[in-house]
Amino acid sequence: MKDKNEIDATGPRRDGDHHQEDRRLFLKQSLAMTGLTLTPFSFFNAEPDSYSVLAGNADRVDLSLTINGVKRRLSVDPRTTLLDLVREQLGLTGTKKGCDLGQCGACTVHVDGQRVLSCLSFAVMQQGRKITTIEGLSNGASLHPMQEAFIKHDGFQCGYCTPGQLMSAVSCIREGHANSEAEIREYMSGNLCRCGAYPNIVKAILAVKTSGQSV
Amino acid sequence: MANAHQNPAEPHPSLDRVDGRLKVTGAATYSAEYPFENLAHAVLITSTIAKGRIRTIDAKAAETAPGVLAVLSHMNSPGVPAYGSVKLPAERAPVGTAFRVFYDEFIYFSGQPVAMVVANTPEQARHAASLVHVDYESEKHQTDFEANLSKAAVATSVQRNKTSPFQDYDRGNPDAIYTAEVKIEATYTIPTQHHQPLEPHAIIAVWEADDKLTVYDKNQGVKSAQGNLAQAFKLPRENVKVNSKFIGGAFGSGIRVWPHTVAAVLAAQKVNRPVKLVLGRELMFTSVGYRPFTVQKIAIGATKDGQFTAITHEGTGQTSTYEEHLERTILATRAMYVCPNVSTRYRLLNLDVNTPTWMRGPGDATGMFALESALDELAFALSIDPLELRLRNHADSDPERHLPWSAKSLKDCYRIGAEQFGWKNRILEPQTMKADGMLVGYGMASSLYGFHRHPSKAKAVLLADGSVVVQSATMDIGPGTGTAMTQIAATMLGVNPKKIRFDLGDSGLPDAPGQNGSSTIPSVGSAVHAVCKALKIKLLTLAVAIPGSGFADVRPEDVTVKNGRLFPSADSSPGIAYTDILKHHKLTQVEVTEESKPGAERDQYSMYSFGCHFVEVHVSPVTGEVRVKRVVTCADVGKIINYKTARSQSIGGVVGGIGMALMEESAMDHRYGRYVTTDFASYHIPVHADIPQIDVFFVDQPDPYVNPIGSKGLGEIAIVGVAAAVANAVFHATGKRIRQLPITPDKLL
Amino acid sequence: MKPFHYLRPTTVKDAINALASAPNARFIAGGTNLIDLMKRGLVAPEKLVDINSLPLKKIEQKAGFVRIGALALNSSVADHTIIAAKHPLLAQALKAGASGQLRNMATMGGNLLQRTRCPYFYDTAFPCNKRNPGSGCSALEGINRLHAIFGFSEKTGPPTCIAVNPSDLNVALSALDATVVVQNTQGERRIPFADFHRLPGDRPDRDTTLEAGELIVAVDIPDAPFARNVHYFKVRDRASYAFGLVSVAAALDLDNNRIKTARLALGGVAHKPWRLFEAEKMLVGQPVSETAFRQAAEVAMRDAKAFEHNAYKLKLAPNSIRQALTLAAGIS
């Protein structure tokens, strides 16, 4: 279990490492002891495939989930992200791909009511969950108060980050983090906007929050 | 002082964005979002070396991977007809050759497209792309700007063109700088910075027939894209359709048709299916241009009371080995202030990189960072208030062209900005203002941007129900083109904006310039103005023909409009409804098309927009972190069409300028000639928490000479000067002059 | 991305067995780093074991320690009443990291395993010892503004890796002397936090001492008197949503303005969270004072060494230590 190379590699070569190193060695010894006080887990030697819950093949996995109130039964490539599922397969292109690496917030959707990044989640991991995309934010023809506020306060220019900003803005209020301009700015910082609509977005969120409307 | 949380009142009400509902509901359709049966997905493979040749491409594993339709490269490209065939022996492209994708084996920059995988699904395409193995033969590359600066030279295109504005320029005595009473001299460096719009560049290419191409492409000019693609594929122009109705930001990255667009068109030809290509964020650093790395040396000489006696400005920008990208870097210095002796020099440095392109405020944002920083340095040297120094050197007419300004209210901008900001509370001496343990700095800078107007056409159609459709092949990359045009048409025609539809972003519409150089409102706004005027006259003619209508002998200039009705004068009669005019003549619609273009006024007046920015920063003495606490910006761009969208555009420019000043830097590892900043985690743009409330003011007076609507563009001037204002504020807070952007904490510690 | 088999076990036992039977299998929880790595081809599991259905989300007060389940979300931990009351340092560190969305996805266990953000690690066109041992460290003579000033070895040649651990959570857990609880087919193993993350040594590819097939099930934080005088101080290139240039977790137990116990750890300076044991020792018994804090910072920095672009950290780190201690002590 011990990596002896590691001890060599981190040997006490400079004064500053001594304290770290001494402690490491001490902890390694105590670790070795705790390692011995193992709880017996008899079940760990079961045959490898008895655990299988959802042993899909690498091509397709069945998936059922609810998107914007509609229950869907799908078959997906396990590699498909939630973002690519809604955009490429379901035609819900309101959710945007800005970076595909979880660094811009354009792909923000709600999963079971919580804002998350759909680009950093595989679709297959959403089994049984309720997804809300921008297309499901408004109630039929009438816009969500946050959508109204974005229009009124001009909280966008090109519109590409807007669905993500909106989904995040709604969560920001629901999470209780929209009590001041400063707090809104901090809790909305995961949503980049290159057009620079930030001040107007903050105004829109604050307006909805202070109006007391249900979000 | 203005309450930082309140925006100034609007003099006239603004229309909400006409496409607002589409954008907030996710119904706005961007280039990658058009559904097609049988759509194939493409992924680009790009070079990992900066210079050399492709030795071999092993695509066997990729070609046999599930779902793969083709692996495209120079080995098997159907070829772009305009490229011609490769002449043997193959040679590297000479300067002035636009990059030819999948053409030959030469590598010009790291990140160059070398192959493309097309497959049934995006997942299959991405996986197959990872299976393609490209073997290169490397050559020694040069990408380090500062290390190669001595090789910079006058661009060959400038050498050939004796009237180029980039020729060496001397006004007065070029040696006057050496005898100035007071002189400052400094070198300013701006690293490569990238547009990075939130929407990555994307295209769906569809060959409708062997000689008919349709593309849904992210670009800033459907007409120029149409022309470029028609030329590249040797098709009649009308056989190419370009659709770009919604653009998720561009800031200049969409002005050209880039190689990846051509690559997708080739792929669609190869697999005979619609092909979609969406650039990954990392490819957005090497595929669609950037603001070039630039070094500028400025010297300003002045009298002791701050009158400029000489300015010299030398600027050198980066370009690729195959193309020369020139921008205005040193040009503003000739026109901005009154000064008898001005010299400018402009040089280019060819490196093994991709070609830069225009990025918001191209050249001027770069040059004015240097000039306006240098002015601040001189103000400090002279112990003169920086605003006062600018007023003492205000140019009442264009000192370069010796022409009157068409309009200039820069002094009003200074006054409004200073009052609203509370500039008078600034203590002259740096490092004297503090708050909550932070060093406080006030900085300001001027802004200017040249006026651009291009010939534009617009069509207006009045329908039997009184609604109006206005069309022009203009674009909206974000500023709200459709909203402004609707507002112009609504005012001109007296029609409720809700009954007006404005169509844009389609190459089938009447000719209009691309959206660049802040030219849309001046050009297309004038065309919409003209076509609405023409429609009004046509309606008058039709009304005159209606017996008893009361329009006989009415002069067109006396006609007024309101609520969809035509009135013979401002104060009389019930008038006649447009719908009744059509009904009487049994017309289902009335249609007019007009062109509007600039005339001789350009030779009589010098045309610029002017403005200024005031910035307060707080700098942590512990960490060197800079936070912008408030900004007041004021611009004179002639008449404001829509305050709401104009204000947003100004705010956006300031936000871009804050990014430019404080965080944006595309860093390259020159050992590999390759960027290490390849995503939004390593290339920082401002987030919500970086941006305070920003107060925007406009002089809002029509410029009488630029065009019929009196409006100049706003997109560029909004960012020009912002970086200098921030840097000047940082100096005021800390006493440290940072001449190399971005101003990150390490530079202030 | 290479195709993979997807499994979603519902018990810890099944999850561990799923990995035990496949050498190239990986657990996935929040996915906020793993999916990023998979997209870039840096990790290519044949089997992906989704552990989100395991019952490992609880945050509980136990006898003498708080146990945080490995699947507790960063946002749940940051907003939890037990954490707010007993370990506000942890809440501060969590809120200083990532974004609202990411904190709703990222789990406690996953955060411990977050890979470095060194750009050379992420781009396969560059040599990188962490990605491809033996290929070289590109950062060493490359662009190393964000890199380590502690913890790399020059004993047997140039440092193998100067990447830093990017996690804010780890810095706080290091200061709080947490224990990582893991399970493998043999049973449970408890790893003291200081031993969980590794220095690069000659295995820069290994960030932690977690063995193949082991599953993190919880993090235990021993009860400690750090409910009040704590501060997580983070310096970054922009105001939010950025990895730290330097961060400091500081916790003090004060008795009438005298320091009874001190905990200090640095982030953004080494391959692992960098606990400052000697500075802590130096502070014990001292009165709260600028002098004491300055001395602690000096002690902390004794063996720091900078590279071409990160010399600023030699000043930023001690400044930040002093500031964090000052804020933790509640003096201005």
Side-chain angles (χ1 to χ4, degrees):
Chain A
M1 195 154 88
K2 291 273 93 17
D3 180 355
K4 92 179 188 343
N5 291 334
E6 185 187 335
I7 295 173
D8 294 341
T10 58
R13 58 216 166 261
R14 294 198 322 276
D15 290 351
D17 288 325
H18 282 156
H19 63 284
Q20 297 264 347
E21 199 49 40
D22 294 345
R23 190 170 172 82
R24 288 180 77 74
L25 291 168
F26 167 72
L27 291 170
K28 275 177 204 303
Q29 284 151 13
S30 55
L31 179 67
M33 289 184 339
T34 53
L36 291 171
T37 60
L38 293 171
T39 329
F41 285 100
S42 58
F43 55 71
F44 277 113
N45 296 317
E47 52 280 328
D49 273 321
S50 68
Y51 54 81
S52 176
V53 176
L54 212 163
N57 64 35
D59 293 337
R60 288 279 152 190
V61 173
D62 288 338
L63 170 68
S64 63
L65 73 177
T66 304
I67 299 183
N68 300 332
V70 179
K71 237 186 158 159
R72 304 213 186 218
R73 299 186 67 86
L74 305 161
S75 171
V76 299
D77 183 329
R79 294 172 293 181
T80 304
T81 59
L82 177 57
L83 174 60
D84 283 342
L85 174 73
V86 297
R87 274 176 74 81
E88 304 293 343
Q89 291 180 41
L90 304 180
L92 296 170
T93 54
T95 305
K96 302 304 182 195
K97 181 180 281 192
C99 69
D100 214 22
L101 296 170
Q103 299 169 348
C104 78
C107 68
T108 304
V109 299
H110 294 170
V111 173
D112 292 342
Q114 301 291 309
R115 54 171 163 166
V116 300
L117 300 177
S118 59
C119 78
L120 283 188
S121 189
F122 290 121
V124 286
M125 294 167 71
Q126 309 306 321
Q127 171 66 31
R129 296 186 188 273
K130 291 189 174 66
I131 317 291
T132 307
T133 69
I134 188 68
E135 289 90 347
L137 187 62
S138 56
N139 181 14
S142 64
L143 294 179
H144 184 280
M146 193 63 80
Q147 292 171 315
E148 298 275 14
F150 267 54
I151 292 175
K152 183 178 171 204
H153 294 276
D154 209 31
F156 52 90
Q157 291 189 45
C158 79
Y160 198 78
C161 73
T162 311
Q165 299 276 0
L166 281 159
M167 299 310 282
S168 206
V170 168
S171 290
C172 189
I173 292 182
R174 286 184 190 161
E175 291 165 4
H177 293 307
N179 299 302
S180 67
E181 287 196 2
E183 191 182 25
I184 292 169
R185 285 188 194 116
E186 173 58 34
Y187 279 84
M188 287 297 293
S189 279
N191 290 86
L192 272 52
C193 170
R194 190 53 157 163
C195 298
Y198 295 133
N200 295 354
I201 294 170
V202 171
K203 277 186 187 159
I205 297 172
L206 206 56
V208 174
K209 161 75 180 164
T210 51
S211 75
Q213 292 174 90
S214 156
V215 296
Chain B
M1 200 175 87
N3 180 338
H5 301 269
Q6 292 290 328
N7 266 318
E10 290 177 18
H12 46 79
S14 294
L15 188 61
D16 285 341
R17 281 176 198 263
V18 295
D19 51 4
R21 193 183 174 96
L22 290 177
K23 286 180 175 176
V24 301
T25 55
T29 307
Y30 297 81
S31 296
E33 298 171 350
Y34 288 82
F36 281 92
E37 290 288 334
N38 216 23
L39 182 65
H41 298 263
V43 170
L44 271 179
I45 296 157
T46 60
S47 81
T48 53
I49 65 161
K51 187 179 181 183
R53 295 164 183 254
I54 300 165
R55 207 180 273 140
T56 56
I57 295 180
D58 180 358
K60 274 187 228 81
E63 278 162 351
T64 54
V68 171
L69 304 167
V71 180
L72 206 66
S73 71
H74 72 283
M75 322 272 285
N76 63 352
S77 168
V80 177
Y83 294 171
S85 52
V86 182
K87 292 186 189 77
L88 291 171
E91 283 177 8
R92 296 185 77 83
V95 172
T97 313
F99 178 76
R100 296 168 292 194
V101 68
F102 304 150
Y103 177 70
D104 59 19
E105 70 268 34
F106 290 104
I107 299 296
Y108 297 91
F109 61 94
S110 187
Q112 170 183 323
V114 294
M116 183 150 88
V117 172
V118 191
N120 286 323
T121 73
E123 291 80 12
Q124 290 167 335
R126 284 179 215 131
H127 175 53
S130 73
L131 303 175
V132 176
H133 181 77
V134 184
D135 189 28
Y136 301 98
E137 187 182 311
S138 290
E139 291 171 45
K140 192 171 158 50
H141 62 263
Q142 298 296 339
T143 57
D144 189 340
F145 187 93
E146 285 168 300
N148 288 282
L149 192 53
S150 63
K151 296 179 201 158
V154 176
T156 56
S157 62
V158 174
Q159 289 175 27
R160 283 197 301 269
N161 176 7
K162 292 296 165 218
T163 61
S164 163
F166 297 102
Q167 289 283 351
D168 290 358
Y169 171 86
D170 292 304
R171 172 163 96 217
N173 173 11
D175 294 329
I177 191 73
Y178 303 113
T179 55
E181 277 179 36
V182 182
K183 188 179 102 170
I184 60 104
E185 184 176 89
T187 299
Y188 303 89
T189 305
I190 299 177
T192 296
Q193 299 182 325
H194 277 83
H195 313 74
Q196 298 301 345
L198 257 280
E199 181 202 24
H201 277 246
I203 173 178
I204 298 175
V206 189
W207 285 91
E208 317 272 5
D210 285 350
D211 61 348
K212 283 201 171 65
L213 173 67
T214 299
V215 297
Y216 300 78
D217 180 47
K218 179 185 174 113
N219 66 70
Q220 292 175 239
V222 280
K223 286 287 186 182
S224 57
Q226 178 194 38
N228 273 299
L229 288 169
Q231 202 178 21
F233 288 91
K234 296 200 170 160
L235 297 169
R237 197 182 168 103
E238 60 277 13
N239 284 18
V240 178
K241 289 182 188 158
V242 180
N243 182 316
S244 313
K245 287 193 176 139
F246 286 95
I247 303 296
F251 315 102
S253 64
I255 293 175
R256 294 185 67 173
V257 171
W258 295 105
H260 72 267
T261 296
V262 176
V265 173
L266 286 172
Q269 200 169 33
K270 183 97 179 163
V271 303
N272 199 24
R273 279 169 64 171
V275 166
K276 166 149 79 175
L277 173 68
V278 179
L279 295 186
R281 187 51 63 180
E282 72 286 358
L283 293 187
M284 290 291 291
F285 286 84
T286 48
S287 307
V288 290
Y290 53 90
R291 192 192 294 290
F293 198 111
T294 309
V295 170
Q296 301 173 73
K297 197 164 118 186
I298 288 203
I300 308 180
T303 61
K304 282 184 184 136
D305 64 354
Q307 208 66 54
F308 297 165
T309 54
I311 304 178
T312 63
H313 187 171
E314 301 167 28
T316 305
Q318 157 176 324
T319 192
S320 64
T321 57
Y322 51 92
E323 279 176 310
E324 291 183 332
H325 170 77
L326 303 161
E327 51 183 46
R328 288 183 40 88
T329 314
I330 40 82
L331 297 187
T333 298
R334 301 181 196 164
M336 189 64 216
Y337 296 104
V338 69
C339 179
N341 307 298
V342 174
S343 297
T344 67
R345 301 286 182 268
Y346 186 63
R347 302 289 181 267
L348 281 187
L349 178 57
N350 296 91
L351 294 170
D352 296 306
V353 294
N354 58 316
T355 311
T357 195
W358 298 279
M359 178 164 154
R360 198 170 196 175
D364 287 318
T366 304
M368 287 290 276
F369 165 66
L371 180 66
E372 292 294 298
S373 292
L375 248 72
D376 206 67
E377 301 209 34
L378 181 67
F380 176 69
L382 294 166
S383 289
I384 293 176
D385 178 279
L387 175 54
E388 175 59 26
L389 182 69
R390 284 164 173 86
L391 285 166
R392 285 185 198 176
N393 294 282
H394 181 269
D396 297 330
S397 61
D398 184 342
E400 180 187 13
R401 295 177 66 206
H402 306 292
L403 287 175
W405 306 111
S406 58
K408 182 178 185 182
S409 305
L410 180 57
K411 283 183 178 171
D412 288 332
C413 293
Y414 288 146
R415 180 181 48 75
I416 294 166
E419 275 171 22
Q420 297 294 335
F421 183 80
W423 183 254
K424 65 178 188 317
N425 300 323
R426 180 182 188 267
I427 301 169
L428 189 63
E429 192 64 22
Q431 275 184 288
T432 46
M433 296 175 69
K434 293 187 176 68
D436 306 326
M438 294 286 163
L439 307 171
V440 175
Y442 286 9
M444 60 86 56
S446 310
S447 180
L448 96 169
Y449 192 71
F451 175 77
H452 300 283
R453 179 183 173 196
H454 311 290
S456 296
K457 287 181 187 162
K459 176 159 119 181
V461 185
L462 173 68
L463 298 167
D465 66 353
S467 64
V468 180
V469 178
V470 184
Q471 298 181 318
S472 179
T474 181
M475 311 294 294
D476 187 2
I477 61 172
T481 308
T483 309
M485 298 307 159
T486 300
Q487 197 156 336
I488 292 171
T491 309
M492 284 297 293
L493 296 173
V495 171
N496 186 324
K498 291 201 174 89
K499 300 193 82 174
I500 297 176
R501 191 184 87 209
F502 184 80
D503 292 339
L504 50 63
D506 182 334
S507 60
L509 300 174
D511 277 347
Q515 188 152 63
N516 56 65
S518 300
S519 64
T520 301
I521 293 264
S523 313
V524 183
S526 298
V528 170
H529 181 273
V531 80
C532 290
K533 198 169 154 186
L535 180 59
K536 212 159 72 176
I537 291 169
K538 190 153 187 182
L539 287 169
L540 172 63
T541 316
L542 290 168
V544 168
I546 301 174
S549 67
F551 282 87
D553 304 326
V554 173
R555 293 181 306 173
E557 57 267 34
D558 292 333
V559 169
T560 60
V561 291
K562 201 179 167 186
N563 298 330
R565 301 177 80 86
L566 201 64
F567 301 88
S569 69
D571 57 349
S572 64
S573 89
I576 184 167
Y578 298 165
T579 48
D580 289 338
I581 298 176
L582 267 68
K583 209 181 285 170
H584 179 88
H585 289 283
K586 298 191 169 58
L587 292 169
T588 53
Q589 64 176 60
V590 176
E591 180 185 317
V592 284
T593 300
E594 280 291 311
E595 181 174 29
S596 173
K597 51 185 168 188
E601 67 275 5
R602 296 191 212 236
D603 303 324
Q604 292 150 20
Y605 297 96
S606 182
M607 299 171 178
Y608 283 89
S609 299
F610 291 95
C612 56
H613 315 284
F614 291 82
V615 173
E616 176 179 334
V617 298
H618 288 193
V619 183
S620 163
V622 174
T623 65
E625 289 167 295
V626 179
R627 301 287 180 250
V628 176
K629 299 311 274 191
R630 61 196 180 95
V631 180
V632 172
T633 183
C634 185
D636 168 21
V637 292
K639 184 176 158 55
I640 300 300
I641 303 296
N642 181 304
Y643 252 73
K644 187 177 270 191
T645 52
R647 183 177 287 147
S648 295
Q649 207 177 356
S650 277
I651 290 172
V654 170
V655 173
I658 291 172
M660 179 182 180
L662 296 182
M663 60 193 82
E664 294 186 35
E665 175 173 18
S666 300
M668 187 175 268
D669 187 324
H670 297 300
R671 296 170 301 169
Y672 301 88
R674 189 170 172 86
Y675 288 116
V676 296
T677 45
T678 57
D679 56 23
F680 279 132
S682 48
Y683 185 85
H684 284 156
I685 64 171
V687 296
H688 272 280
D690 291 296
I691 303 303
Q693 288 298 340
I694 293 165
D695 287 334
V696 180
F697 296 86
F698 299 113
V699 173
D700 195 18
Q701 292 295 321
D703 183 320
Y705 301 111
V706 289
N707 57 17
I709 55 173
S711 293
K712 302 185 237 191
L714 179 58
E716 326 292 332
I717 197 170
I719 192 174
V720 174
V722 176
V726 174
N728 294 344
V730 168
F731 173 76
H732 185 237
T734 64
K736 286 181 182 147
R737 175 66 58 183
I738 308 301
R739 302 186 182 91
Q740 179 155 19
L741 297 182
I743 307 170
T744 43
D746 47 318
K747 291 178 181 148
L748 287 169
L749 270 177
Chain C
M1 195 181 295
K2 227 171 86 177
F4 55 81
H5 289 265
Y6 172 78
L7 304 166
R8 193 188 309 118
T10 52
T11 68
V12 170
K13 170 197 157 189
D14 284 348
I16 291 170
N17 276 340
L19 236 67
S21 63
N24 192 17
R26 295 292 285 252
F27 293 125
I28 185 165
T32 55
N33 193 193
L34 183 60
I35 294 180
D36 178 6
L37 295 165
M38 288 172 70
K39 283 182 179 178
R40 305 192 204 219
L42 305 180
V43 176
E46 277 153 22
K47 192 189 271 185
L48 201 59
V49 181
D50 179 350
I51 57 171
N52 286 296
S53 301
L54 307 185
L56 298 173
K57 291 194 171 78
K58 268 196 209 152
I59 301 164
E60 320 164 84
Q61 177 67 56
K62 301 272 197 182
F65 64 94
V66 172
R67 168 159 289 195
I68 306 174
L71 290 173
L73 299 176
N74 283 2
S75 54
S76 319
V77 178
D79 289 336
H80 202 278
T81 47
I82 293 177
I83 303 302
K86 300 199 68 174
H87 299 295
L89 182 63
L90 193 61
Q92 286 180 24
L94 284 167
K95 288 176 183 175
S99 68
Q101 293 94 311
L102 285 164
R103 294 194 292 268
N104 278 345
M105 306 172 77
T107 63
M108 213 54 185
N111 200 325
L112 300 186
L113 300 176
Q114 200 181 157
R115 306 303 306 267
T116 183
R117 287 286 156 178
C118 175
Y120 296 105
F121 173 67
Y122 283 86
D123 183 348
T124 54
F126 293 113
C128 168
N129 280 331
K130 182 174 282 300
R131 177 169 26 81
N132 183 13
S135 61
C137 172
S138 292
L140 212 51
E141 287 173 7
I143 294 172
N144 45 38
R145 181 173 169 269
L146 304 174
H147 289 74
I149 53 172
F150 291 112
F152 39 82
S153 161
E154 291 175 299
K155 194 172 61 176
T156 56
T160 52
C161 175
I162 56 170
V164 298
N165 185 301
S167 164
D168 292 297
L169 171 73
N170 285 343
V171 186
L173 289 178
S174 164
L176 294 171
D177 262 345
T179 299
V180 184
V181 185
V182 307
Q183 283 197 354
N184 54 36
T185 52
Q186 307 301 303
E188 183 180 286
R189 187 161 81 94
R190 297 176 59 81
I191 311 174
F193 205 78
D195 257 11
F196 185 77
H197 293 98
R198 296 179 67 259
L199 290 176
D202 61 2
R203 287 299 302 275
D205 55 319
R206 295 196 62 195
D207 293 348
T208 71
T209 55
L210 198 68
E211 298 288 337
E214 285 186 324
L215 175 69
I216 300 172
V217 292
V219 174
D220 291 349
I221 306 175
D223 291 349
F226 300 128
R228 190 174 306 145
N229 293 111
V230 298
H231 196 85
Y232 188 73
F233 186 76
K234 181 175 178 183
V235 185
R236 32 194 160 172
D237 279 328
R238 64 180 176 195
S240 187
Y241 202 20
F243 293 99
L245 299 171
V246 163
S247 65
V248 186
L252 297 172
D253 180 21
L254 302 180
D255 179 14
N256 269 337
N257 223 31
R258 193 160 289 277
I259 300 167
K260 280 169 72 183
T261 323
R263 296 281 180 77
L264 269 179
L266 287 176
V269 297
H271 196 257
K272 60 185 284 185
W274 196 250
R275 182 77 180 265
L276 303 171
F277 292 107
E278 288 190 16
E280 290 172 8
K281 234 182 285 170
M282 195 245 101
L283 284 167
V284 172
Q286 302 258 13
V288 166
S289 69
E290 267 183 48
T291 318
F293 294 165
R294 187 178 313 113
Q295 283 169 353
E298 276 166 22
V299 169
M301 295 305 295
R302 227 177 255 161
D303 303 296
K305 193 202 152 191
F307 296 89
E308 188 181 352
H309 305 114
N310 69 351
Y312 72 97
K313 287 192 181 181
L314 300 182
K315 192 166 174 199
L316 181 59
N319 281 4
S320 301
I321 292 169
R322 275 162 37 214
Q323 188 75 358
L325 286 166
T326 306
L327 291 166
I331 55 173
S332 52

